[in-house]
Amino acid sequence: AAAAAVAATRRLASSSSTQQHSAPASALAYCTNLVRQHDWEGYVAASVCGTSSRDIMALRAFNVEVANVRNAAAEETIARMRLQFWKDVLDSAFKSVEKQRAPTEQHPVVQMLGETLGRHKLQKSFLKRLVTARETDLVEAPYRDTNSVEEYAENTVSTLLYLSLECMGVRSVAADHAASHLGKAIGIVTVLRGVPYFARRSKVRLPMDLTAKHKVSHADIVRGTAGDPLAAAVHELASAAHIHLVTARSFTKDVPEPGRRALLPAVACGAFLQRLEKAEFNIFDAGLQQRYNLLPVALMKHVWQKTY
């Protein structure tokens, strides 16, 4: 259903490109460093996307900016103001592209985004969705259930993948289906990986239905105490991610080859799930908090095999 909605949205947009404006080298350097620092796995995956790497890096930098608003703002009101700023920036950037001008905003991410918009007819609704989804998540409350995690992931991770596919020139129902499922898998994995981080801040974001079902104590999570109840809840949530990942990969043969590169974030997602299983679903295992340094090698293997 999500992929069908994506296809319908795309049909409403023109496929023509607009005049290109090159962002300064300093803007690219800023975006690259920003993604490398806050989204290393996305940075590595974007780096092997050939001529589209620059555009995907710009998208990921924009995503980092809006995702970091919650942590950077001391109050919810300030966070909402900053998210509104990014909404206004998008409106202005699209107007500049329509008039075949460079964006007036001098923020490096906006400069890079303006260049990308000039090269590709990206869906404004997708970019806006990356912002509005964060507005609904400013409180950092526990998710109601796994479906709630998947819905948030669809509006953030999957949407970013849809945009990446557009940068690769891919408009395919199969690719959209794959991106939808992959985004949900990565979104669930992100929630799992965030357990220790939020525990240090005395917060729990695991779905409430799973913690209730497996009788997981929120106090134990905050204390960083691993146990069978938590492992069972983590296993069930990880299993949902695994199903989405397998489903996403089942479309491989039907996804155009350029689109497979846009879906390479699947490699890091799958690697984490394997490491989690090896750790017997102890989400506090120290090894899970370490960077997967073999990711560049694994990515090149998939590039060579034309898989994700």
Side-chain angles (χ1 to χ4, degrees), residues 266-278:
V267 178
C269 178
F272 178 82
L273 289 173
Q274 290 177 347
R275 291 160 62 200
L276 180 60
E277 182 178 15
K278 186 176 181 180

Side-chain angles (χ1 to χ4, degrees), residues 180-239:
S180 179
H181 284 286
L182 176 56
K184 291 180 177 68
I186 295 174
I188 292 173
V189 163
T190 300
V191 170
L192 289 170
R193 296 173 82 165
V195 170
Y197 167 78
F198 284 107
R200 291 191 295 270
R201 299 173 60 189
S202 299
K203 292 185 177 183
V204 177
R205 302 219 64 194
L206 287 172
M208 291 186 291
D209 64 332
L210 289 185
T211 55
K213 174 182 177 180
H214 296 285
K215 297 180 172 57
V216 179
S217 166
H218 282 209
D220 284 345
I221 296 178
V222 170
R223 286 193 294 265
T225 304
D228 291 340
L230 178 58
V234 168
H235 176 268
E236 185 168 341
L237 194 55
S239 296

Side-chain angles (χ1 to χ4, degrees), residues 16 23 64 79 127 138 147 222:
S16 61
V64 168
L127 287 162
L138 291 175
N147 287 338
V222 170

Side-chain angles (χ1 to χ4, degrees), residues 33-48:
N33 290 331
L34 183 69
V35 178
R36 183 190 295 117
Q37 180 181 354
H38 295 280
D39 180 16
W40 181 77
E41 293 173 353
Y43 161 77
V44 178
S47 298
V48 296

